[in-house]
């Protein structure tokens, strides 16, 4: 049976054949980006990035979770990033989602609710502001002064600062 994974393995073999060496371990732009896992978000095209330019943390909703904060602390303290972009996007699956209903559905199917929050939100700009504020409030991050939040419009390609 053929799968999408098989296609990706074929592409990886082609990549390996033309591989030109390891980029430096320190991100060239000293930048970290927190964004959503949505497949429509192509950070390389949006920001003109190349391999080795920035650290990228992705999860459902581009939420600033404990694990994202952990990754940002390591990014700054060990790998010299100094600036952070938080980028949410339009048409996000978490925007307007009914989190209590989702939790109830999962509990009904499995016998217990998930031990984590999903992070549904009603106002995308408020969600970006909250994410930026959470980063700026983290005392373990030595560089919290240049954290900026954006919303990317998946329908138009427009990037606007919040």
């Amino acid at each position: 049976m053929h799968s999408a994974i098989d296609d990706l393995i074929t592409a990886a073999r082609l990549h390996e054949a033309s591989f030109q060496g390891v980029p430096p371990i320190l991100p060239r732009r000293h930048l970290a980006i927190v964004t959503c896992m949505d497949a429509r978000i192509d950070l390389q095209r949006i920001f003109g990035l190349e391999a080795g330019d920035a650290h990228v943390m992705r999860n459902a909703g581009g939420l600033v979770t404990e694990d994202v904060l952990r990754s940002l602390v390591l990014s700054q303290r060990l790998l010299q990033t100094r600036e952070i972009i938080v980028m949410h996007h339009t048409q996000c699956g978490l925007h307007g989602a009914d989190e209590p209903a989702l939790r109830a559905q999962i509990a009904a199917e499995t016998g217990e609710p998930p031990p984590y929050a999903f992070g549904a939100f009603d106002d995308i700009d408020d969600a970006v502001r909250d994410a930026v504020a959470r980063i700026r409030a983290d005392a373990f991050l030595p560089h919290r002064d240049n954290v900026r939040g954006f919303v990317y419009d998946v329908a138009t390609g427009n990037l606007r600062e919040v």
Side-chain angles (χ1 to χ4, degrees):
M1 178 175 166
H2 186 77
S3 73
I5 294 172
D6 293 328
D7 291 340
L8 295 179
I9 296 303
T10 298
R13 298 291 179 251
L14 293 171
H15 165 74
E16 181 181 8
S18 64
F19 188 67
Q20 298 188 5
V22 181
I25 191 168
L26 301 178
R28 278 187 290 274
R29 297 189 186 200
H30 302 283
L31 173 70
I33 301 171
V34 179
T35 194
C36 186
M37 66 184 193
D38 192 301
R40 298 171 292 179
I41 298 172
D42 184 347
L43 292 176
Q44 286 71 24
R45 290 186 68 182
I46 294 167
F47 293 116
L49 297 173
E50 294 183 20
D53 279 351
H55 285 159
V56 177
M57 284 133 260
R58 295 179 83 136
N59 62 31
L63 304 178
V64 177
T65 62
E66 289 298 314
D67 190 57
V68 166
L69 289 170
R70 178 188 69 86
S71 295
L72 288 170
V73 167
L74 294 170
S75 176
Q76 288 191 355
R77 291 189 175 269
L78 298 179
L79 299 164
Q80 301 179 10
T81 60
R82 302 290 180 259
E83 300 179 63
I84 301 170
I85 288 175
V86 174
M87 188 181 84
H88 290 193
H89 67 94
T90 60
Q91 300 178 22
C92 182
L94 283 175
H95 188 188
D98 186 342
E99 186 157 342
L102 178 60
R103 293 180 66 74
Q105 175 190 357
I106 292 170
E109 291 174 11
T110 66
E112 62 182 299
Y116 39 78
F118 292 105
F121 56 90
D122 290 322
D123 184 293
I124 194 167
D125 287 5
D126 284 345
V128 170
R129 282 190 281 274
D130 290 347
V132 168
R134 186 154 192 218
I135 291 168
R136 287 185 177 150
D138 192 306
F140 302 114
L141 288 166
H143 305 283
R144 297 175 278 162
D145 54 329
N146 201 353
V147 181
R148 294 168 65 184
F150 298 86
V151 173
Y152 175 71
D153 189 324
V154 298
T156 67
N158 177 261
L159 181 72
R160 69 175 173 82
E161 192 159 8
V162 175

